[in-house]
Amino acid sequence: MPGDLPMPTTMFTADELAVIRRAYAHQVVATAATTNPRIEAAFATVPREKFLGAPPWQIANLGGGYRPLPSSDLVLAYQDVLFALQPDNGVNNGSPSLHARLLAELDIQIGDRIAHIGAGTGYYSAILAELVGTSGHVYAVEMDPDLAAHAQAALAERANVSVINADGSQWPQQEVDAIYVNFAVARPAEPWIERLRPGGRLVLPLGVPRQDRPPKGGRHASHGAALRIEHGEGGFAARWIGTAYFVCANGGLTIDDNEIEALTAAFRRGGIEFVKSLLWKTEPRIGRCWHIGGQWALCYDDV
């Protein structure tokens, strides 16, 4: 980052900050209701302030919009809140406890190769890098060139991370063990399904973009749900994780009004929590699916 930008300050020693990070990580995983000690250790290790940009930092309000923090003390980074990365576009460094919950669903193993789609400035890419270890690899894909440049700088010392400035709908470009998507989509991209190895896991936020886009703050989902997809022997098992609202996709995953209407109707009918499978380029059984999209469907039948 340029040297003339303001930098975070701190009134705490390095040893005290290490304790603060451990306490933050402990709270994050408790809020996420996960008992995975490796996820807690990853949150305790990665310095979040490296990925937030220069202060003054802004955090998201519950009712919308942002407010500045009263100081630039880096200890303030260790809260379970959303920090603005590009407030005019609604792009944040998202809720640590939500990400801890979603990362637990990925079931990450040492040595895994993971595509992180929508990596932003790379904070959760760094968490993933801790989880896969030095024998694994994280492909951090970010379409926005400024965010990708920040991620490149912040992750430069991690040999097990590659930052790629590209449209996430085109990645991964080789088979991977897991795919972690960090923006709302109304359909999965082809590589997310077809380059997920047998036994591989995909976690993505399914969402319908709001029609009344605000002048600032980006276009977030009006309906949203996090899903876990697993590539099994007989097809793709699907499971609802919970409600999740992310900023909506641009680029190759923009969808037309008819697709938006169909997915909106499915969310309004309810029942996504009963979905058990994802059909891909297979004719669905009418009446057995929660939603049928173009060449894919979410269905109530087991794989």
Side-chain angles (χ1 to χ4, degrees):
M1 295 170 61
D4 58 347
L5 290 177
M7 297 300 292
T9 59
T10 185
M11 59 183 290
F12 296 91
T13 67
D15 288 344
E16 288 171 333
L17 283 171
V19 173
I20 288 165
R21 286 193 184 102
R22 284 174 51 206
Y24 154 81
H26 195 61
Q27 293 170 347
V28 162
V29 298
T31 303
T34 176
T35 56
N36 188 319
R38 295 180 59 242
I39 291 177
E40 182 169 340
F43 276 93
T45 300
V46 176
R48 192 183 190 193
E49 64 274 10
K50 285 182 63 175
F51 302 89
L52 300 181
W57 293 324
Q58 298 181 71
I59 61 173
N61 290 317
L62 287 177
Y66 298 93
R67 60 184 170 87
L69 287 174
S71 86
S72 59
D73 193 323
L74 62 81
V75 75
L76 298 181
Y78 296 99
Q79 307 177 66
D80 188 18
V81 296
L82 284 71
F83 280 76
L85 298 178
Q86 291 181 338
D88 287 352
N89 297 325
V91 177
N92 306 313
N93 181 256
S95 163
S97 60
L98 173 61
H99 281 274
R101 183 182 181 193
L102 298 181
L103 289 169
E105 294 285 348
L106 270 182
D107 191 25
I108 300 164
Q109 305 299 312
I110 296 290
D112 275 354
R113 303 183 78 77
I114 297 182
H116 183 197
I117 311 297
T121 56
Y123 178 56
Y124 296 105
S125 304
I127 300 287
L128 287 165
E130 291 288 327
L131 294 171
V132 302
T134 56
S135 61
H137 203 84
V138 178
Y139 301 93
V141 184
E142 173 53 50
M143 187 168 71
D144 183 277
D146 293 334
L147 295 175
H150 188 142
Q152 184 73 61
L155 295 164
E157 296 178 0
R158 293 182 178 271
N160 64 344
V161 181
S162 300
V163 177
I164 299 130
N165 180 203
D167 189 325
S169 68
Q170 305 301 312
W171 285 78
Q173 298 192 345
Q174 58 186 352
E175 248 190 15
V176 293
D177 300 286
I179 299 171
Y180 188 42
V181 180
N182 281 172
F183 48 79
V185 294
R187 59 181 173 87
E190 189 169 286
W192 304 351
I193 303 299
E194 299 192 354
R195 295 187 182 132
L196 192 64
R197 72 159 182 80
R201 293 83 56 204
L202 161 66
V203 168
L204 80 162
L206 188 72
V208 177
R210 289 176 54 183
Q211 298 306 296
D212 55 335
R213 180 171 182 164
K216 288 188 176 182
R219 193 178 191 186
H220 282 75
S222 60
H223 301 277
L227 297 174
R228 181 187 194 273
I229 312 297
E230 182 168 350
H231 188 180
E233 291 184 6
F236 294 92
R239 178 164 53 81
W240 176 76
I241 300 171
T243 302
Y245 296 94
F246 282 72
V247 70
C248 292
N250 292 313
L253 283 167
T254 305
I255 63 170
D256 64 30
D257 290 343
N258 290 334
E259 288 180 281
I260 290 174
E261 283 183 20
L263 186 56
T264 301
F267 272 111
R268 287 176 175 165
R269 284 195 306 271
I272 192 172
E273 63 269 29
F274 302 113
V275 162
K276 293 182 179 178
S277 60
L278 179 144
L279 293 184
W280 185 252
K281 297 182 179 179
T282 302
E283 194 66 30
R285 292 173 57 191
I286 302 301
R288 296 300 304 158
C289 295
W290 175 78
H291 172 66
I292 298 174
Q295 295 193 305
W296 74 285
L298 288 168
C299 301
Y300 300 120
D301 296 318
D302 288 314
V303 173

